C-alpha cells in the first residue's frame, strides 16, 4: 500500500502540518482518509452524505506527481449464456454455450472497435473488455452455460447507467450461431461515474504551480480508472484533482509497492520525518543503508532497519547492517517466518528485535 496510498497520506499529513504552522490565515484544511475506495466507495459516499464542504479537493492517487483532472467511469456486467448439455460424442444433440460465447466475444470486440472514435483531451478513448470467462461442466460434456464479465471504461459526460445498459443489451440481443439461439442473462454489477474538473480551475493551476516551484515537472493528465473523486465532483460539487507519488501502472496493487525516492537526504533536510525506515535491499544495499542512517541520526532522526518479505540471504545482510549501526532499532527482520516454506533453515535467530 505504499503507492496506493500510504505514501500520499504521509505527504498530506506533513504538508498540512507545515502549511498550518506557517500560514498567517490558513483557513480550514480537511484531511479525510476513507475506506472502501477499491469497491463501492462507501467511505467517501458517507463523507459526502454527511455534508463535507470545501473549495477544492486533492486526492493522492499515484499519478507520478502529474496533475490529473479527469477520471474514467466504469460499467460492469455479469452475463450468462445458456445452452443445453449433452455428451460431447454427439454435440449436435445439445446447444453448446461455448459457441454462443464465441459469438458474444466477437460482438463485444466490434463494440470495442466502435468506441475507439470516442475522445477526451487527457483520457484514452473508451474501452469495453471481457475480463473473466468461465463455463462447462466436464471434459466430456457439451457446456450448457458460460459466464463472462464485461468491463466498460467510459469518458466523462454521462452520469446515468441507462445508456450503457441499453448498448450492452442491444449488442447481445438475439445471440445465435447458425440459427441456434442462446438466451442471455445480463446483470449490471457496478456503475461508477466518470468525472472531470476544468483544467483552468484555480485548484488545477495552483497544484501545478506548487509542483513546479518544488522542481517537479508536473503535467496535466487523465486517470484511466474510477476513483472516489466522482462523489466529490458530482454530489458535493467540489472541484477535485488527483496528485500523488507512485505510478498506478507500475507501483499500485503489486506485491511490494513503492514510490520513487526523491532522496532520503531530501526528506531529512526538510525535517519531514521523525523516523527513517531503511530496507537495505530496496534502497541500494548495506553501505547505502549505513550512510543514510548516519545522516538521519546527525539530524536527530531515528533510523530503523527492517526488510521486505526477503529470503535468508537478504535478512542475514540486514542483521549485519543493523549490527553496524550503533543502538539502531531493528524490527521485522524475521519476516521469513511469514513464508509457508523457505528454501533452507534460517541460520539467524532474532530475539527482542
Amino acid at each position: 500500500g505504499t503507492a496506493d496510498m500510504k505514501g500520499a497520506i504521509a505527504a498530506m499529513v506533513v504538508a498540512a502540518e507545515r502549511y498550518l504552522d506557517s500560514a498567517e490565515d490558513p483557513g480550514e484544511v480537511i484531511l479525510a482518509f476513507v475506506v472502501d475506495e477499491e469497491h463501492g466507495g462507501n467511505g467517501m459516499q458517507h463523507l459526502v452524505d454527511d455534508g463535507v464542504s470545501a473549495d477544492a479537493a486533492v486526492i493522492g492517487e499515484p499519478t507520478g506527481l502529474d496533475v490529473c483532472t479527469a477520471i474514467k467511469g466504469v460499467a460492469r456486467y455479469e452475463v450468462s449464456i445458456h445452452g443445453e448439455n449433452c455428451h460431447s460424442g454427439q454435440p449436435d444433440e445439445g446447444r453448446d454455450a461455448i459457441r454462443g460465447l464465441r459469438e458474444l466475444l466477437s460482438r463485444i470486440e466490434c463494440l470495442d472497435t466502435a468506441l475507439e472514435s470516442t475522445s477526451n483531451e487527457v483520457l484514452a478513448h473508451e474501452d469495453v473488455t471481457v475480463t473473466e470467462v468461465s463455463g462447462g461442466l466436464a471434459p466430456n460434456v457439451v457446456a450448457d452455460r458460460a459466464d463472462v464479465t464485461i468491463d466498460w471504461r467510459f469518458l466523462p459526460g454521462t452520469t446515468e447507467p441507462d445508456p450503457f445498459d441499453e448498448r450492452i443489451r442491444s449488442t447481445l440481443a438475439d445471440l445465435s450461431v447458425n440459427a441456434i439461439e442462446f438466451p442471455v442473462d445480463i446483470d449490471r454489477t457496478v456503475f461508477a461515474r466518470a468525472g472531470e474538473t476544468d483544467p483552468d480551475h484555480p485548484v488545477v493551476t495552483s497544484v501545478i504551480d506548487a509542483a513546479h516551484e518544488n522542481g517537479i515537472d508536473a503535467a496535466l493528465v487523465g486517470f484511466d480508472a474510477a476513483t472516489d473523486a466522482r462523489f466529490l465532483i458530482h454530489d458535493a460539487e467540489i472541484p477535485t484533482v488527483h496528485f500523488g507519488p507512485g505510478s498506478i501502472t507500475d507501483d499500485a496493487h503489486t506485491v511490494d509497492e513503492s514510490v520513487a525516492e526523491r532522496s532520503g537526504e531530501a526528506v531529512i533536510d526538510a525535517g519531514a520525518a521523525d523516523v527513517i525506515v531503511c530496507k537495505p535491499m530496496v534502497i541500494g544495499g548495506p553501505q547505502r543503508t549505513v550512510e543514510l542512517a548516519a545522516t538521519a541520526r546527525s539530524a536527530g532522526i531515528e533510523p530503523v532497519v527492517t526488510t521486505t518479505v526477503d529470503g535468508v540471504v537478504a535478512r542475514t545482510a540486514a542483521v549485519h547492517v543493523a549490527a553496524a549501526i550503533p543502538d539502531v532499532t531493528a524490527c521485522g527482520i524475521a519476516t521469513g517466518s511469514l513464508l509457508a516454506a523457505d528454501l533452507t533453515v534460517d541460520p539467524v535467530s532474532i530475539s527482542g528485535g
Side-chain angles (χ1 to χ4, degrees), residues 19-353:
Y19 169 71
L20 293 172
D21 286 343
S22 61
E24 293 183 3
D25 184 16
E28 182 182 28
V29 177
I30 301 171
L31 294 177
F33 305 131
V34 299
V35 300
D36 195 43
E37 187 269 343
E38 296 290 350
H39 297 284
N42 289 322
M44 185 63 78
Q45 182 71 72
H46 177 79
L47 185 70
V48 169
D49 290 345
D50 205 39
V52 67
S53 178
D55 296 319
V58 179
I59 294 180
E61 289 282 357
T63 65
L65 297 180
D66 286 324
V67 180
C68 166
T69 59
I71 59 169
K72 279 187 175 180
V74 57
R76 188 171 297 136
Y77 301 86
E78 300 294 335
V79 180
S80 297
I81 306 162
H82 298 282
E84 183 179 348
N85 61 30
C86 67
H87 194 283
S88 61
Q90 295 179 312
D92 292 340
E93 296 297 317
R95 287 183 295 121
D96 186 1
I98 303 301
R99 298 180 68 186
L101 171 62
R102 290 200 299 268
E103 174 65 15
L104 178 146
L105 294 174
S106 176
R107 293 189 183 191
I108 293 298
E109 185 176 353
C110 289
L111 174 57
D112 184 56
T113 299
L115 293 176
E116 291 178 1
S117 62
T118 60
S119 63
N120 181 278
E121 289 186 3
V122 293
L123 293 166
H125 61 72
E126 295 189 14
D127 294 280
V128 60
T129 308
V130 173
T131 56
E132 294 177 307
V133 175
S134 64
L137 296 172
N140 58 348
V141 178
V142 167
D144 67 345
R145 175 170 172 161
D147 299 297
V148 303
T149 301
I150 297 173
D151 188 88
W152 187 339
R153 301 291 172 147
F154 58 88
L155 298 174
T158 303
T159 57
E160 297 297 330
D162 293 350
F164 303 98
D165 294 353
E166 293 169 5
R167 188 75 177 271
I168 289 292
R169 293 189 182 281
S170 64
T171 297
L172 301 182
D174 303 320
L175 193 71
S176 64
V177 179
N178 296 332
I180 300 175
E181 296 183 355
F182 295 93
V184 297
D185 294 328
I186 302 172
D187 179 30
R188 173 170 37 81
T189 57
V190 172
F191 184 77
R193 295 160 292 179
E196 60 185 341
T197 294
D198 187 338
D200 293 325
H201 189 279
V203 66
V204 179
T205 56
S206 295
V207 174
I208 286 184
D209 290 345
H212 291 172
E213 289 172 5
N214 285 275
I216 300 168
D217 189 20
L220 284 182
V221 299
F223 205 69
D224 293 313
T227 77
D228 277 348
R230 62 189 186 272
F231 300 107
L232 296 172
I233 292 172
H234 297 298
D235 301 331
E237 298 183 347
I238 298 174
T240 303
V241 297
H242 301 73
F243 179 78
S247 163
I248 192 67
T249 303
D250 301 326
D251 300 316
H253 299 201
T254 58
V255 173
D256 194 9
E257 291 191 14
S258 63
V259 295
E261 179 193 31
R262 292 195 67 191
S263 92
E265 285 79 7
V267 174
I268 294 167
D269 291 343
D274 297 315
V275 173
I276 292 288
V277 178
C278 303
K279 298 186 177 185
M281 296 302 104
V282 174
I283 65 173
Q287 184 62 38
R288 166 64 174 153
T289 304
V290 171
E291 293 171 353
L292 184 60
T295 302
R297 182 158 283 165
S298 67
I301 298 175
E302 181 64 22
V304 175
V305 176
T306 184
T307 65
T308 56
V309 183
D310 290 323
V312 171
V313 173
R315 283 182 290 122
T316 302
V319 170
H320 287 291
V321 170
I325 303 171
D327 302 319
V328 72
T329 299
C331 60
I333 292 179
T335 50
S337 62
L338 301 176
L339 302 176
D342 210 339
L343 298 178
T344 185
V345 176
D346 192 345
V348 181
S349 177
I350 305 298
S351 63

